[in-house]
Amino acid sequence: IDMKSPYEWSLYSIRNAYVSQPLIRDVAAVCITMIYFVAFEHFEFIRGMVMWHAMAFSTLLYTSFVMRITDKVTGSASPQPRTWSVIVFGLRYGLITSYCDFQVESSIMIFFGVVVSMRLLKITMKLPDYVSCESSECFLTLGNPVILVGGASVWLRYLAQSDSWRDELFDWFFGMLLLLYTNFLVYMYSMTGEKLAENAYSNATRANTAPGSSLYPNPMGCIVFGISNFLLLGVAFLLNVSYD
């Protein structure tokens, strides 16, 4: 559908809009979010959390590890693959939508409040990327301050008119903590993958350039590859288990 390059999305002009938007990216981000949401529906929330963490490790740490190794071998820093923002968006908001669906009563409004609040905090407090995960926000970056303030007003008005506003405020607060947790996990797994790749590359270079050395698989690479595939096999096993 979109054959531009591995690193860029084609931009499409939207009628009456001031900016061109990578619509294929945005549609793909929503689709990945729904895939995780459906997976949570299948597993239920607790089992879904186990599945989600396994997928996050295999997707983020392993991908960052491979990307960094490739950069070290080629000697140049390649741009982030265009699918990265889509996958990370799906991971983050798939978890939030599932939390809102399983754990709260007014799921749509809590989700709306969490998204608007995080966007406002990003703009007003200039949060770093590991807190806001700005690079994977996809179409949510279209929300300018005026729109966000209007959205916050709608959210606060709904909260003021709700009979169970204390419970909903707690649900919103926990949803914010959950989104911050996922953002930090994305950052941590990405940085860990890059650090492990640099360590693996330096050890392999040193070992394979020594006199009389033979080429052997790198232990660190084998460990990362093995754990990632073990977790993926675990998810595949869970998918084939029927629950009463």
Side-chain angles (χ1 to χ4, degrees), residues 13-21 142 144:
S13 297
I14 306 173
R15 183 175 295 180
N16 299 325
Y18 294 102
V19 295
S20 298
Q21 188 69 6
L142 289 175
N144 59 47

Side-chain angles (χ1 to χ4, degrees), residues 175-234:
M176 288 290 292
L177 291 180
L178 195 60
L179 183 56
L180 289 170
Y181 168 74
T182 60
N183 292 349
F184 178 73
L185 208 63
V186 168
Y187 173 79
M188 185 185 71
Y189 278 156
S190 300
M191 292 297 103
T192 302
E194 291 183 4
K195 295 297 182 183
L196 290 176
E198 291 177 359
N199 180 266
Y201 180 81
S202 61
N203 289 341
T205 303
R206 185 166 52 251
N208 292 325
T209 54
S213 63
S214 301
L215 296 177
Y216 292 102
N218 184 270
M220 184 62 69
C222 292
I223 291 172
V224 172
F225 179 78
I227 293 176
S228 299
N229 281 275
F230 174 78
L231 292 174
L232 291 175
L233 285 174

